[in-house]
Amino acid sequence: TCGGTLKGLNGTIESPGFPYGYPNGANCTWVIIAEERNRIQIVFQSFALEEEYDYLSLYDGHPHPANFRTR
């Protein structure tokens, strides 16, 4: 699957086909849920994108311009 919801103290996010390439046109959305007033720490152990075509965006809340944090 490509995307989903993570709850709890830890979890793993992987692209489809990991550790090999992901399919063209993949659009994965992951929702990470933490208890109120808790922080979420994201650690990348392996990360590669096709420059000029692919990107990662992070939002604090729903994907809306007001919630955008980084790309």
Side-chain angles (χ1 to χ4, degrees):
T1 61
C2 188
T5 301
L6 291 176
K7 286 176 145 182
L9 298 179
N10 56 51
T12 301
I13 296 173
E14 294 179 344
S15 62
F18 181 83
Y20 305 105
Y22 47 88
N24 289 334
N27 185 359
C28 305
T29 299
W30 290 88
V31 177
I32 303 171
I33 299 173
E35 295 292 324
E36 192 170 333
R37 300 182 195 252
N38 285 353
R39 291 179 177 250
I40 295 173
Q41 179 180 12
I42 300 173
V43 177
F44 296 94
Q45 294 179 346
S46 176
F47 190 84
L49 295 174
E50 187 176 2
E51 286 188 52
E52 299 185 28
Y53 295 100
D54 302 334
Y55 59 91
L56 168 75
S57 296
L58 297 175
Y59 295 85
D60 185 2
H62 295 285
H64 182 275
N67 298 330
F68 179 76
R69 295 299 174 253
T70 191
R71 179 174 177 175

